[in-house]
Amino acid sequence: MWLRTGRRPTRTADGIELKFNPYHDPRNGQFTSGPGGTALPDRGVTARRVAAPASRQLSKSEWRDASVEQSADTNNQEAVIDAVYRPDRDAGAFQNTQFVPPRATVRSNSRAFEDPMTLEQTFPGLRDAPGGAVISLLDNAFGIAAPANEDMAKTTQERSAYLISQIKALDPHWTFQSLGFPTTWEGQKNQLNDLRMQRAAAFSRIKGDLRPMQVETMRAMQGLADKAYSKAVRLYDAGALRGHLSKEQAIGRFVDKEVRRGLRSIYEDYKIKEVSKQVRVNRREYDTSTPESSYRIPDARVGDVAYDVTLSPKSLKSPQIRGFFNADFRPQLVVVVRPRQLGRGSSYIINRPEAGK
């Protein structure tokens, strides 16, 4: 209160601070945001309000309707606007915004379905980070552990329906081609990733917003790097990658090629190159700020973000990272993707140095 008004707060004998609000609704005495205003619609829980019903598993017909027939008209949007998806329960659920959930014990998979749409949401602290800061990726931000119970299947089903509604809101003519909800856990995760990439493509195509694509590109590269690393280790141990390279060099070169090849395939499947020319894989990025023009080749670029797949940690001291920031497209971030088998916090993001902003 002192910082906002310059006045010291009033305290009672037991030390509790009191705040005075002179603005009230003359009809009912409720607080308002200005003199003579009206109170906002009642959002609290009163004796007259009945709590919204708890979530339930969608029936096959409801799933089909949400997947194929849901449109972006006003009536359908009400379900999205007036409800919130809560991932922090044992089974994620869509609930009325007026519903107050009971406290629940946090379990190992409680954060499995956080769904970041920007890199600032993926990397906590990025928004306020100083130039040149290195910020690690949230543990399990892109990886979902094995389901703790059958309720996770309900969560993936509801989450998929929500993603479908988001895409339909952007593109009313879009339809989700599906033969039904997957029965395996791997299939359910793949469907979620597919819908997330389709949502990112819709944002890029319709709104020109590449931020969701920046997140999904990192998600895809992280998964490709993890798979490629495991395969490379097996091949090296079998003698198929030896040659004249060290083990780290041989595995690193294999991982680089596999990730680039896999990412190109993903972009082609989702027609990403037709969406934006700012989405590139393994292309030269020139620096023409000096007489002797030079270039660097990031593994990928999406808008003002460069991506580099590597086994060895890199920082602003690395010539390659400095070269990315000096390129003509002036990236604000460099995402360093390393296989998660290398340990916790293996992947991270480097903020643009202050001097380069």
Side-chain angles (χ1 to χ4, degrees), residues 117-118 166-167 169-171 174 195-217 266-267 270-280 301-304 307:
M117 291 184 63
T118 69
Q166 285 186 310
I167 301 171
L170 289 168
D171 183 1
W174 176 86
L195 288 170
R196 289 182 180 120
M197 184 61 77
Q198 294 202 50
R199 179 183 62 182
F203 267 96
S204 302
R205 181 177 66 255
I206 298 172
K207 292 184 172 293
D209 187 349
L210 290 174
R211 292 178 299 173
M213 184 60 66
Q214 291 169 347
V215 174
E216 298 313 315
T217 292
I266 290 173
Y267 283 165
Y270 291 91
K271 297 180 172 56
I272 303 302
K273 290 186 178 180
E274 300 176 9
V275 171
S276 174
K277 295 181 179 179
Q278 298 185 59
V279 180
R280 299 153 61 91
R301 171 197 166 186
V302 181
D304 59 356
Y307 299 79

Side-chain angles (χ1 to χ4, degrees), residues 15-72:
I16 298 177
E17 295 183 3
L18 302 179
K19 174 185 175 183
F20 174 70
N21 185 344
Y23 304 140
H24 296 82
D25 188 335
R27 300 174 306 170
N28 53 26
Q30 293 183 2
F31 289 133
T32 67
S33 59
T38 58
L40 294 174
D42 187 5
R43 296 288 183 183
V45 178
T46 69
R48 298 189 304 273
R49 176 169 288 115
V50 179
S55 63
R56 60 181 178 81
Q57 184 173 5
L58 301 179
S59 67
K60 290 184 178 179
S61 60
E62 290 173 322
W63 170 257
R64 183 175 59 255
D65 292 341
S67 302
V68 180
E69 300 175 1
Q70 186 171 3
S71 64

Side-chain angles (χ1 to χ4, degrees), residues 42-162:
D42 187 5
R43 296 288 183 183
V45 178
T46 69
R48 298 189 304 273
R49 176 169 288 115
V50 179
S55 63
R56 60 181 178 81
Q57 184 173 5
L58 301 179
S59 67
K60 290 184 178 179
S61 60
E62 290 173 322
W63 170 257
R64 183 175 59 255
D65 292 341
S67 302
V68 180
E69 300 175 1
Q70 186 171 3
S71 64
D73 59 25
T74 303
N75 291 334
N76 284 340
Q77 284 300 303
E78 290 179 356
V80 178
I81 295 172
D82 293 336
V84 60
Y85 177 76
R86 299 189 180 279
D88 57 342
R89 304 184 63 202
D90 291 344
F94 291 106
Q95 293 175 337
N96 188 286
T97 53
Q98 299 169 354
F99 179 76
V100 180
R103 292 184 177 273
T105 303
V106 178
R107 298 193 180 182
S108 60
N109 60 356
S110 61
R111 287 170 42 204
F113 288 93
E114 288 183 358
D115 191 15
M117 291 184 63
T118 69
L119 289 174
E120 288 183 345
Q121 295 170 353
T122 307
F123 292 85
L126 176 59
R127 181 188 298 273
D128 301 319
V134 177
I135 306 172
S136 295
L137 179 67
L138 271 173
D139 291 336
N140 202 33
F142 290 145
I144 302 174
N149 50 54
E150 293 181 358
D151 288 340
M152 292 301 291
K154 301 177 185 177
T155 303
T156 57
Q157 190 173 3
E158 292 174 335
R159 188 62 191 163
S160 294
Y162 178 61

